Amino acid sequence: ARIVVLVSGSGTNLQALIDAENAEKARSSAPAFGATVVAVGADRTDIQGLDRAEQAGIPTFALRVKDFATRAEWDRALRDKVAEYEPDLVVSAGFMKLLGADFLAAFDGRVINTHPALSPSFPGMHGPADALAYGVKVTGCTVFFVAGGVDDGPVVAQAAVPVEPGDDVESLHERIKTAERALLVDVVGRLARQGWTIDNRKVTFQ
Ligand code: GRF
């Protein structure tokens, strides 16, 4: 399956997908990953996520909102650029912009996102910080299908992560990201190999 990954920062989720694909190539005995990253897109330039793609020889593009007259025009330009790569699945992994109606209409039901909290708890930009502030003992990460809202689409998979005494936002987010990378690779591989259906928010692998 062809996947386009959207990033805004360090790109460790992207790296996990690249590594899973390379592991499959390196060892024929490795379980088939079934997905290949055909392009990496970003909403900004000079981020490590784009460097990781370039090091892996993967085409990249960056579309900044401020370069467009309106947000809707940026959304349509992103849609058209992603469409050039004919993805089976679009993976928003640490991408910090909300994808708009035109983008989601073009890739309806084929856009997944990772969130470093157990949805529906702690949506938005500061999931780990909000979990820490709330004082939960268990948080985690969620992979879901983007449906236009903020981190509220149909859930594909989740992983629980303990909050340790003495955690600060960084230590907690790093622990979450370790689980998140494994979860994302598992989900992307299964979606790529098995296909899926979504019925009334329930995701079923075929
Ligand atoms: C991930 O935890 C993602 O869920 C959140 O920001 C982090 C991005 O990490 N939105 P990276 O860019 O994949 O390293």
Side-chain angles (χ1 to χ4, degrees):
R2 299 170 58 86
I3 58 176
V4 170
V5 182
L6 301 178
V7 297
S8 293
S10 52
T12 61
N13 279 292
L14 163 68
Q15 191 63 56
L17 295 170
I18 293 171
D19 295 347
E21 182 182 346
N22 292 338
E24 177 185 12
K25 289 175 185 167
R27 294 193 319 278
S28 59
S29 62
F33 180 49
T36 180
V37 181
V38 296
V40 174
D43 60 333
R44 63 199 74 180
T45 52
D46 58 48
I47 51 163
Q48 195 180 355
L50 291 175
D51 297 340
R52 293 177 189 275
E54 283 154 21
Q55 281 156 23
I58 299 169
T60 64
F61 57 87
L63 296 178
R64 300 182 306 181
V65 171
K66 66 182 177 184
D67 292 339
F68 293 85
T70 67
R71 177 63 177 253
E73 283 179 39
W74 171 83
D75 188 70
R76 285 192 288 274
L78 183 65
R79 170 199 63 191
D80 296 346
K81 176 57 74 174
V82 170
E84 285 177 24
Y85 294 96
E86 299 179 338
D88 298 300
L89 193 64
V90 179
V91 179
S92 168
F95 188 63
M96 288 303 177
K97 291 287 187 299
L98 273 182
L99 295 166
D102 291 331
F103 186 96
L104 294 176
F107 305 107
D108 183 42
R110 293 184 288 132
V111 183
I112 61 171
N113 191 350
T114 62
H115 182 59
L118 292 177
S119 302
S121 298
F122 313 124
M125 297 275 284
H126 309 290
D130 296 342
L132 200 60
Y134 190 94
V136 294
K137 301 303 182 187
V138 175
T139 184
C141 47
T142 303
V143 177
F144 59 94
F145 279 99
V146 178
V150 178
D151 300 327
D152 63 356
V155 172
V156 185
Q158 295 185 298
V161 173
V163 179
E164 303 291 0
D167 262 337
D168 60 16
V169 178
E170 286 70 32
S171 61
L172 176 56
H173 197 172
E174 272 316 304
R175 186 175 314 114
I176 293 170
K177 285 178 78 172
T178 301
E180 185 178 27
R181 290 190 282 269
L183 190 69
L184 183 64
V185 167
D186 176 61
V187 165
V188 169
R190 288 169 68 196
L191 292 174
R193 295 190 302 272
Q194 294 175 242
W196 67 92
T197 58
I198 306 176
D199 176 27
N200 187 23
R201 292 187 60 84
K202 297 291 182 296
V203 179
T204 307
F205 290 99
Q206 288 167 339

